[in-house]
Amino acid sequence: MTPGPTVLPPEVVAAGARPILYSRSSEFIAIWEDVVERLRGVFQTEGEVLVFGASGTGAMDSAVANLAARGERVLVASCGHFGNRWAAVCADYGVDALHLEGEWGRPIDPATVADALRREPGIEVVFVTQSETSTGAVSDLPALRETAGDRILVADAVSGLGVVDLPMDRWGIDVVVSGSQKGLMTPPGLAFVAASERAIARSAALGPGGFYLDWERTRKGGSRSPFTPSVTLVCQLQEALRLIEAEGLQEVFARHRTLGRMTRAGVRASGLSLLGPENPEANVVTAFLVPEGVEGGAIQGDLKRRFGIQIAGGQGKLSGKICRIGHCGYYDYRDIISVLGALEIVLIGLDQPVEPGAGIAAAQRVAADALLAR
C-alpha cells in the first residue's frame, strides 16, 4: 500500500513472463504502436506521446533538457519533495529556475505563481506538479494553466496519471510527464512525455536535448524507437492499458475518488490528523501525521511485521513525521478496509486512543454512499 511501485494485476505479471520479442520484429512494432495509441487515451491527448526506458524522473529530465536553454530563466512551483526535483534538474542543466516552494501538504498556490510571473514577464516555461506523491496534495492544473497565460506549462503527473482526471488537450497543458510504476500498474522502467505541437516546436527550435532523452531523435525513431526499448515492460504496459480501457477511464477515476475518500475518512475516524487540508481530488495517496509520542517508523514497522502491509513514511523534511497510504493503481475497496483495520490494531498497540472499528465503519459509509449513488 505504498504510492509506488504499486502492486501489479495478474495479467500484467503474466505478460512479463512471455518469451522475449525481437525489438525490430513486426510483432513488437505492432505492440509498440498499440501502446502509444492507448497512452494517448490515458493522457487524453491527440498530441505526441514519447516513451523512454527510464523512471518518471527520466521524463522530468527530458522535459527540462528539451524545453529550456542553459542560462534561461524559468519558473518552478512546488509543494513537496518531488516538485522540488524540477529545480534540481534545472540546476544540473544550468537553467536558471525561479523556485517558488509552497507549504508541504498544500497544493501549489496559483496566486503566488501569478505574482511571480508579473514580476518576471520574460519567463516562457513553467514547471509544476499535479500530484505531489510525498504529501498527497493535488494541485489545480486548470487554475495554473490560466495563471501561466501563453507560457509553456509542464506538469509532473508521475503519480497522478490514470488516477486523477487530467484531460490534457481540453485543459491546454503543453507537456505532461509520467512513469509506468504507479497508476499505470506496470513495473518501474518506462517514462512518458506527452507534448503539444507548440512544445514540440519549441524543443525542435532549441536543438538537441541531450542524446538518449532527445525528443527529436525519439520522434524520428517512430514506432521502432531509436534505441533498444524495454520490450518486456512495453508488453506488460499493453496489458495494463487494456485493463484501464476495459474498466473505463472515468470509472477508474471514480474508483480512485472513492478509495481516497474512504482512506481519509478512516484515518480521521481512527484519531489521526491528515497532512494538509481536505481535498476531494487527493486520491493518489493519503498522508497523515505520526501522533505525538510515537516513534517515526513505528506504525510502518508494526504494519509490516504484524500484517505484511507495507505503507510509506515521509520524505525530506517530513521524514519520521508522516505516514503515507498509497491507493493508486490496482486497488479496490477491500484493500482499504484491510489496511484501516490493521492500522487500528497497530495504533491500539502503540497506546493510542482508538475505538476499534471506527475507521473501518467510516470507510464503509463512504463506500456505501458511492455505490448507492451509481
Side-chain angles (χ1 to χ4, degrees):
M1 300 291 293
T2 71
T6 60
V7 295
L8 307 179
E11 297 92 335
V12 175
V13 175
R18 66 182 297 174
I20 197 74
L21 294 174
Y22 175 45
S23 61
R24 306 302 176 193
S25 67
S26 59
E27 182 181 4
F28 180 73
I29 289 171
I31 292 172
W32 180 278
E33 291 176 341
D34 180 61
V35 162
V36 170
E37 189 58 36
R38 291 177 189 269
L39 281 171
R40 287 195 180 97
V42 177
F43 279 99
Q44 300 180 69
T45 183
E46 297 297 325
E48 299 232 26
V49 177
L50 308 178
V51 181
F52 299 98
S55 68
T57 302
M60 297 173 72
D61 188 300
S62 77
V64 173
N66 286 272
L67 292 171
R70 179 172 292 274
E72 180 182 1
R73 186 73 156 164
V74 302
L75 186 143
V76 170
S78 69
C79 58
H81 179 75
F82 291 102
N84 287 356
R85 189 165 291 179
W86 281 126
V89 175
C90 286
D92 273 10
Y93 277 105
V95 176
D96 181 17
L98 170 59
H99 184 191
L100 307 176
E101 182 178 1
E103 180 180 346
W104 287 31
R106 292 182 176 272
I108 297 168
D109 180 16
T112 301
V113 175
D115 288 342
L117 291 174
R118 279 193 293 269
R119 292 194 305 271
E120 300 205 32
I123 288 175
E124 296 183 5
V125 185
V126 177
F127 297 92
V128 299
T129 305
Q130 181 205 29
S131 169
E132 176 49 69
T133 319
S134 69
T135 68
V138 172
S139 293
D140 187 344
L141 284 188
L144 291 168
R145 170 69 278 171
E146 183 177 356
T147 296
D150 62 355
R151 299 166 183 86
I152 296 285
L153 181 64
V154 184
D156 162 11
V158 172
S159 63
L161 187 71
V163 180
V164 182
D165 199 8
L166 202 175
M168 179 178 168
D169 287 358
R170 179 156 57 84
W171 285 356
I173 313 300
D174 293 286
V175 177
V176 177
V177 302
S178 194
S180 57
Q181 76 275 17
K182 298 183 186 290
L184 297 191
M185 306 181 295
T186 303
L190 293 176
F192 316 112
V193 174
S196 67
E197 287 186 9
R198 70 178 194 141
I200 292 291
R202 177 181 173 85
S203 169
L206 286 176
F211 186 83
Y212 183 69
L213 298 175
D214 178 60
W215 288 4
E216 285 303 298
R217 184 174 286 111
T218 301
R219 292 177 67 232
K220 289 174 182 176
S223 62
R224 294 177 180 268
S225 180
F227 309 109
T228 303
S230 304
V231 172
T232 299
L233 291 178
V234 172
C235 292
Q236 290 181 284
L237 177 61
Q238 184 185 45
E239 291 302 320
L241 293 172
R242 284 172 173 165
L243 291 173
I244 290 172
E245 287 189 13
E247 184 176 358
L249 190 59
Q250 293 306 316
E251 288 297 314
V252 170
F253 297 146
R255 171 169 55 84
H256 282 99
R257 193 174 297 115
T258 300
L259 298 184
R261 292 174 181 176
M262 287 176 65
T263 309
R264 292 192 296 274
V267 163
R268 288 196 307 268
S270 300
L272 299 166
S273 298
L274 297 175
L275 174 68
E278 173 74 20
N279 180 347
E281 294 304 318
N283 302 319
V284 177
V285 56
T286 295
F288 61 87
L289 301 176
V290 174
E292 192 172 337
V294 174
E295 190 274 323
I299 295 175
Q300 296 163 254
D302 283 359
L303 279 171
K304 179 67 173 177
R305 178 176 57 84
R306 299 179 67 179
F307 299 101
I309 297 174
Q310 180 75 65
I311 66 171
Q315 294 178 300
K317 66 176 72 175
L318 293 178
S319 179
K321 298 179 180 178
I322 65 169
C323 290
R324 295 176 296 145
I325 299 173
H327 33 75
C328 55
Y330 186 55
Y331 293 112
D332 211 330
Y333 306 118
R334 57 195 160 187
D335 299 304
I336 305 304
I337 296 298
S338 295
V339 71
L340 289 173
L343 178 62
E344 287 182 348
I345 295 173
V346 165
L347 290 171
I348 291 169
L350 293 170
D351 297 322
Q352 296 302 300
V354 179
E355 178 65 32
I360 293 174
Q364 285 179 319
R365 285 192 291 271
V366 172
D369 288 346
L371 291 172
L372 289 172
R374 298 180 64 174

